[in-house]
Amino acid sequence: RQPLSLCVAGERLCSTEEATAGSGTYTRHGLIFSSLAGCLERRNEDSELPVVSVVRDSESQLLPNVGAVVTCKVCSINSRFAKVHILYVGSTPLKSTFRGTIRREDIRATEKDKVEVYKSFRPSDIVLAKVISLGDAQSNYLLSTAENELGVVVARSEAGVQMVPISWCEMQCPRTHTKEFRKVARVQPQFLQT
């Protein structure tokens, strides 16, 4: 019983004449398809035909889905969007980072035309965002912070000190008392990492 290869959901595996459908598969029109992403396994049991199954790898990569709340780190900003690396889906850390984009129009729910990216995020900020689309060929996820609970959760000031939120649009450095603009998240208790 050894894994043969990796397969994706919906992949055609073989015909029902060659094998019997096992767990993680389904049959349609005399063919066996994978119903999930994982390792294809072919076992010879007592029957004449081998049984094909798809076993989800327990180490398999969790993927950000549309509607998922993700924690990401801002890499770069320009006047139109912020580029981020997605680090967590919910409270689960990702093995490899995914790239995401928060467009200017997806930063706030109100006064979208007045939003300025550099007044919302800065590079290295940690942001809670929601996945709104799986993006394009560059595999960029489109993210939104247009809810009160979403936005910057951790930011460092010019002095390198973690800043404290003082309003929904400002954070302050406890050392220098300098205020900086941010799209501040009103963090819900379930998203606080201990």
Side-chain angles (χ1 to χ4, degrees), residues 63-65 86 98-101 131 133-135 139-143:
L63 295 173
N65 289 325
I86 300 170
F98 292 93
R99 291 195 307 265
T101 302
V131 179
S133 143
L134 302 183
S139 73
N140 265 2
Y141 286 86
L142 286 179
L143 308 175

Side-chain angles (χ1 to χ4, degrees), residues 6 29 32 77 109 119 126 129 131 152 163 172 181 186 188:
L6 293 171
H29 307 301
I32 301 174
I77 58 171
K119 284 189 173 180
I126 302 297
V131 179
V152 177
M163 294 196 292
Q172 185 172 30
F181 287 107
R186 190 179 72 212
Q188 297 298 298

Side-chain angles (χ1 to χ4, degrees), residues 110-123:
T110 57
E111 299 181 317
K112 294 180 182 196
D113 52 333
K114 295 183 182 163
V115 172
E116 293 178 81
V117 178
Y118 76 94
K119 284 189 173 180
S120 303
F121 309 114
R122 298 279 170 87

Side-chain angles (χ1 to χ4, degrees), residues 31-89:
L31 297 169
I32 301 174
F33 294 88
S34 171
S35 63
L36 49 92
C39 293
L40 175 63
E41 292 189 342
R42 194 180 288 260
R43 286 196 313 268
N44 284 331
E45 294 184 344
D46 300 334
S47 61
E48 300 112 52
L49 291 176
V51 176
V52 292
S53 312
V54 178
V55 182
R56 182 170 275 144
D57 180 6
S58 58
E59 294 293 305
S60 69
Q61 178 67 36
L62 180 70
L63 295 173
N65 289 325
V66 172
V69 174
V70 296
T71 305
C72 42
K73 184 175 188 172
V74 178
C75 305
S76 63
I77 58 171
N78 65 26
S79 60
R80 296 188 328 278
F81 52 77
K83 290 276 187 198
V84 300
H85 281 143
I86 300 170
L87 308 172
Y88 286 79
V89 174

